[in-house]
Every structure is written in structure tokens, then in C-alpha cells.
């Protein structure tokens, strides 16, 4: 199985990593949709939120807790940001490795929808 995010996590493909610990890796999106656009991914290959199970609850919590670590590192804590996780075809998920987008650095142009 070839997964680009697994390759970035394992250092087999270049990635602008901003944070990495035992559970998660955060790196810059290659095609940023905001001045600050970071992807937070579990180090374990989990395809989407539909594949995230209670036996991986530590990973789930570490993914959420990493948001604040990233916002602090990227200096977007004070003004805020948006988090998005696309799932499946209706969610327009393109990379089949669970990721949370952290978008910040400027006000969002649109509300949800
Ligand atoms: P999705 O549509 O699956 O929620 O988002 C996938 C994101 O991954 C997109 O924003 C896209 O720009 C980003 N992406 C795709 N390939 C790469 C890559 O090789 N490196 C990095 N850093 N980001 C990527
Ligand atoms: Zn993967």
C-alpha cells in the first residue's frame, strides 16, 4: 500500500513537518487554502473518521489535543482558526489517511456550507 501521508510520517517523502510525537505528525499542506494550513495526521494509518475506533481513543484524543499545540506554534491561537476533516466522497476526501486541516492566519471568507 502506498500512502503519501504515511511516507511523509516515515520521512520517506519530503514534508514540512511542524510537530511530531509518538501519536501524531503535523505538516504544512502542499497547496495551502489559507496563510496557515497545517494537516494533523495519526502516525498509524487510519483511513478516515469512519475507521477510527474506540481502541484507538488515545490517538483520537492526541489528534484533537495537537490542534492547540499547532495553533500555538503557528501563532494563530489568539485570532483563531478553522478545523476541518473531510470524510469519503461526499466529504470530498482526497487523501485516504485521516487528517485534520487547521486553517488560519486570516479570517475565513465563508461560513459553513
Ligand atoms: P482532503 O481533500 O483529503 O481533505 O485533503 C488532502 C490535502 O492534502 C489537500 O489539501 C492537499 O493539498 C494535501 N496534499 C496532497 N498531497 C500532499 C503532499 O504530498 N504533501 C502535502 N504536504 N500535502 C498534500
Ligand atoms: Zn497512511
Amino acid at each position: 500500500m502506498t500512502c503519501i501521508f504515511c511516507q511523509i510520517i516515515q520521512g520517506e517523502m519530503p514534508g514540512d513537518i511542524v510537530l511530531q510525537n509518538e501519536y501524531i505528525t503535523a505538516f504544512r499542506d502542499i497547496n495551502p487554502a489559507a496563510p496557515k494550513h497545517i494537516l494533523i495526521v495519526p502516525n498509524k494509518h487510519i483511513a478516515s473518521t469512519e475507521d477510527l475506533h474506540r481502541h484507538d481513543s488515545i490517538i483520537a484524543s492526541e489528534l484533537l489535543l495537537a490542534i492547540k499545540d499547532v495553533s500555538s506554534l503557528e501563532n494563530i491561537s489568539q485570532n483563531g482558526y478553522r478545523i476541518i476533516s473531510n470524510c469519503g466522497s461526499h466529504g470530498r476526501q482526497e487523501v485516504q489517511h485521516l487528517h485534520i486541516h487547521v486553517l488560519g492566519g486570516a479570517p475565513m471568507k465563508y461560513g459553513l456550507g
Side-chain angles (χ1 to χ4, degrees):
M1 181 195 66
T2 309
C3 168
I4 46 172
F5 287 0
C6 281
Q7 289 178 317
I8 291 172
I9 293 160
Q10 285 153 21
E12 293 164 0
M13 215 181 109
D16 194 350
I17 292 174
V18 298
L19 174 69
Q20 189 163 44
N21 65 30
E22 185 183 349
Y23 300 103
I24 65 92
T25 300
F27 52 91
R28 292 185 202 287
D29 196 294
I30 204 167
N31 184 22
K36 304 280 177 123
H37 187 170
I38 315 297
L39 303 172
I40 306 174
V41 308
N43 293 340
K44 176 179 176 180
H45 182 87
I46 295 170
S48 78
T49 45
E50 285 297 302
D51 302 281
L52 187 57
H53 302 295
R54 284 203 164 70
H55 61 253
D56 282 326
S57 59
I58 294 178
I59 293 173
S61 61
E62 288 293 329
L63 272 175
L64 283 178
L65 291 166
I67 295 166
K68 195 158 91 73
D69 298 331
V70 166
S71 72
S72 176
L73 285 168
E74 294 296 306
N75 294 310
I76 55 173
S77 308
Q78 200 170 351
N79 288 326
Y81 47 86
R82 178 172 288 172
I83 57 169
I84 297 170
S85 189
N86 297 323
C87 180
S89 60
H90 281 197
R92 291 182 178 265
Q93 181 181 1
E94 287 173 7
V95 177
Q96 308 307 312
H97 183 129
L98 173 61
H99 49 283
I100 296 176
H101 297 258
V102 180
L103 298 150
M108 290 291 114
K109 289 197 181 82
Y110 306 107
L112 293 176

